[in-house]
């Protein structure tokens, strides 16, 4: 089973600023996934990150707002840009899940004030 | 578009009870179904993965079944404990994981 280290675990940010979330996997993986979980809601996929290519974004999510990096097969970052209170959510990274078991990071609890 | 529904939305039981959580999905063309546990404000912990060719999986006090043709899965928790209190999520793939809304379980002493 993969172990994913995600940081920060939580943050309180001012509106208009940006936050970068990091995920480190203990093994090489082809795809990593970024999810958002709004208060009281289930998980929604933001984008799929492949090493060496641009991330693929789901409907309703755009690169300018959620730029993603995937510099190698064990690491990815998600930036939440120009934040507003509506961006307050838990953000999670994962690997696997299409036809294998999925594993998740510990989540980043973001509050925008 | 795949849709996943979990019933009940919340469940409160006394310690020691056996309980069943339900998950249904609209498109039976799945690769696998996975059950997760989420503690408040935290990430997801994988509990059980059932591949489409399988009927059930067991891990300790947990047993998950899958009826792919009818689009249903159940998670059975035996002899529940206060430490089982959490939100339980089911998810199916492909193309990526589609999650249900979860069942909030409270087990009181």
């Amino acid at each position: 089973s993969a172990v994913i280290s995600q940081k920060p675990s939580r943050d309180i940010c001012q509106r208009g600023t940006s936050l970068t979330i990091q995920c480190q996997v203990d093994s090489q993986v082809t795809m990593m996934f970024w999810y958002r979980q709004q208060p009281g809601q289930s998980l929604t996929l933001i984008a799929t990150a492949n090493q060496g290519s641009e991330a693929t974004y789901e409907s309703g999510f755009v690169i300018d707002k959620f730029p993603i990096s995937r510099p190698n097969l064990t690491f990815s970052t998600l930036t939440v840009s120009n934040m507003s209170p509506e961006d307050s959510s838990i953000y999670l990274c994962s690997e696997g899940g299409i036809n294998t078991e999925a594993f998740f990071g510990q989540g980043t609890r973001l509050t925008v004030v | 578009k795949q849709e996943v529904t979990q019933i009940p939305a919340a469940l409160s039981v006394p310690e020691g009870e056996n309980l069943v959580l339900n998950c249904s999905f609209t498109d039976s063309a799945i690769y696998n179904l996975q059950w997760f546990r989420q503690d408040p404000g935290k990430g997801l912990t994988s509990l059980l993965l059932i591949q489409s060719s399988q009927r059930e999986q067991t891990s300790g006090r947990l047993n998950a079944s899958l009826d792919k043709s009818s689009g249903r899965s159940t998670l059975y928790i035996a002899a529940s404990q206060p430490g089982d209190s959490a939100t339980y999520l089911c998810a199916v793939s492909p193309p990526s994981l589609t999650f249900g809304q979860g069942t909030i379980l409270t087990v009181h002493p």
Side-chain angles (χ1 to χ4, degrees), chain B residues 6 9 15 29 34 37 42 49 58 64-65 69-70 81 86 90 95 102 108:
Chain B
Q6 291 187 244
E15 181 177 7
Q34 197 165 349
R37 168 188 172 135
K42 303 295 185 182
L49 170 72
T58 298
S65 66
S69 61
S70 68
Q81 303 171 357
C90 69
H108 47 89

Side-chain angles (χ1 to χ4, degrees), chain A residues 97-102, chain B residues 25 28-35 48-57 64-68 72-73 91-93:
Chain A
I98 292 180
N99 57 2
T100 60
E101 189 171 6
Chain B
F25 46 94
S28 62
I30 63 169
Y31 285 167
N32 57 47
L33 183 144
Q34 197 165 349
W35 284 93
L48 290 165
L49 170 72
I50 309 177
Q51 296 180 334
S52 62
S53 59
Q54 298 174 320
R55 297 283 293 183
E56 66 177 334
Q57 284 285 342
S65 66
L66 173 64
D67 185 340
K68 186 181 166 184
R72 295 179 184 176
S73 177
V92 297
S93 66

Side-chain angles (χ1 to χ4, degrees), chain A residues 9-10 33 35 37 40-45 48 58 90 92 94 96-107 109, chain B residues 31-32 34 36 38 40-49 51 89 92-102:
Chain A
S9 59
R10 58 171 59 209
F33 304 88
Y35 292 84
Q37 186 177 30
Q41 303 296 313
S42 193
L43 281 74
T44 301
L45 181 65
T48 302
E58 297 297 306
I90 299 173
L92 301 109
S94 78
I98 292 180
N99 57 2
T100 60
E101 189 171 6
F103 296 97
F104 283 77
Q106 303 95 318
R109 189 168 199 167
Chain B
Y31 285 167
N32 57 47
Q34 197 165 349
F36 297 90
Q38 185 177 30
K42 303 295 185 182
L44 275 63
T45 300
S46 177
L47 297 174
L48 290 165
L49 170 72
Q51 296 180 334
L89 295 158
V92 297
S93 66
S96 55
L97 285 176
T98 302
F99 284 84
Q101 293 291 98

